[in-house]
Amino acid sequence: HEVIPTAIVFPSIAYAVLAWSCVGLLWLVYVPLCLRLAGHRLEFRPVARWTIALALVALAIPPIFSTDVFSYSLFGRLAAVYGLNPYLATGRDLAWSDPLLPYLYWRDVPSPYGPLWTILSIIVAARPDATPLELALRFKVLSLGAFVLSGWLIYRFVQERWPEHATWAYLAFTWNPLVLVEGLIAGHNDTVVLALLLTGAWLLLTGQPTLGTLGLTASAFIKYSTLPILGLAGLALLAQAPQARRLGLSLRLGSTVLGLIVLAFAPFWVGIEVLTSTLNEPGRGINNLLIRGLGWFVTEVTGGRIDALAPASAVGMAVALFLLWLGLVFRRQLRSLGSWTVHDELAAWSRLLLAFLVVWPRIHTWYFLLPLGLALAAGPNHRRCFWAAMVAAMASYTSYLL
């Protein structure tokens, strides 16, 4: 499937060293630049022109650190080309001559994604004769579209209250190495999830709670990790509504969520097996250093009577830590739920998702794209959320080693 003739071939380790060196260099340039420009009023047009240049370069670079775009292609092809249910079938069900097969890392795993992402994957991968290069580019272009929308919405959210900070927030997102490498180069669907979250929040800001809830629900049916955000947004809407309207609002929002659930799952539902791959995700390896360290400690203290590094135990510890954080820290913030602005709510979504990701047994660097983008949209009053997401994202690079 070679498109450009090979002039010279280097050992794999040389490519890895070069790639990681480039990522490190990007961070070494980006972080001081953000710190230096913070608080300055920047011109939008020059920043936007550089953003376009960076995005086009990222689009042209093949997915180096992840083969997820080929997994997305797999799940789309299983349904569109082979007529199989991607929540039951795997890469082993492809024809042996399928050109996608050599590019797959996870060949035995059904789709762990939400049904809306599966529907999008079917649309993107519909052509039976599409090459792996075409498929990768299609998903990268989809990610580029979500990147453009997310950047614009972050700019608009900050411009609403702090116009002098809007361009900095736009730069901090669109020039971020995490966003460029994991969002555009790797083509992860987290950019699409973020775009839907921000669209939902914008609709809430403009007084359209039903459509806003629809956007948030759609994000959760790309990746289920945003379900807590949907719940929190619903509580905020009810807390801010007059007492007499709460029942009607609850029914309207509940029917919106339920309707999307039915429509999204209808093409694939054959029972609880549809969720099996998602539920089994921690069993594919615990790569969270916090959970691994805590699991080792518990196992040692109990003399091995409790295997705290088993997937079920690790999930139990993660849930316990998350609930502890909700009870000790987040509960105090919920007291002012009824007076939250949309910017306060975006910051709360960022903190909620960040806390969940920090303790979840299986994490990846690109997961932190969501709390990072939400924190930037929340504006300068919540900039600590942004730097917390940055620190967590950089620390998560250790997951590549585990």
Side-chain angles (χ1 to χ4, degrees), residues 286-373:
I286 298 169
N287 62 358
N288 185 326
L289 280 179
L290 173 65
I291 295 299
R292 284 174 71 111
L294 185 60
W296 173 85
F297 177 76
V298 171
T299 302
E300 289 296 313
V301 167
T302 60
R305 290 188 297 275
I306 298 176
D307 182 7
L309 289 173
S313 301
V315 170
M317 285 192 299
V319 171
L321 288 171
F322 183 62
L323 292 176
L324 182 65
W325 176 82
L326 285 176
L328 295 179
V329 179
F330 202 65
R331 185 180 62 177
R332 287 176 295 178
Q333 300 169 13
L334 290 176
R335 292 171 185 167
S336 59
L337 190 66
S339 61
W340 277 0
T341 66
V342 71
H343 298 90
D344 295 331
E345 195 163 349
L346 285 165
W349 295 357
S350 177
R351 286 191 290 267
L352 184 69
L353 196 52
L354 184 59
F356 175 77
L357 293 175
V358 164
V359 300
W360 190 245
R362 185 165 177 81
I363 59 170
H364 294 291
T365 302
W366 54 89
Y367 292 179
F368 293 92
L369 192 153
L370 298 180
L372 184 145

Side-chain angles (χ1 to χ4, degrees), residues 163-196:
E164 68 277 11
H165 294 280
T167 301
W168 183 90
Y170 178 80
L171 179 151
F173 176 75
T174 58
W175 293 17
N176 191 291
L178 171 64
V179 178
L180 293 171
V181 174
E182 303 293 0
L184 295 186
I185 293 177
H188 285 117
N189 59 9
D190 299 76
T191 54
V192 179
V193 178
L194 178 62
L196 287 170

Side-chain angles (χ1 to χ4, degrees), residues 214-302:
L214 191 64
L216 300 182
T217 308
S219 79
F221 289 152
I222 301 286
K223 273 189 170 180
Y224 299 118
S225 57
T226 63
L227 281 171
I229 290 177
L230 176 63
L232 181 58
L235 288 175
L237 283 170
L238 293 175
Q240 294 166 11
Q243 184 76 33
R245 293 183 54 205
R246 288 179 182 173
L247 178 60
L249 182 61
S250 299
L251 292 173
R252 192 163 75 249
L253 298 182
S255 61
T256 299
V257 173
L258 184 61
L260 188 56
I261 290 174
V262 172
L263 288 173
F265 276 107
F268 313 108
W269 189 259
V270 290
I272 197 64
E273 302 98 301
V274 168
L275 302 175
T276 299
S277 185
T278 303
L279 297 173
N280 289 339
E281 195 254 357
R284 294 177 198 129
I286 298 169
N287 62 358
N288 185 326
L289 280 179
L290 173 65
I291 295 299
R292 284 174 71 111
L294 185 60
W296 173 85
F297 177 76
V298 171
T299 302
E300 289 296 313
V301 167
T302 60

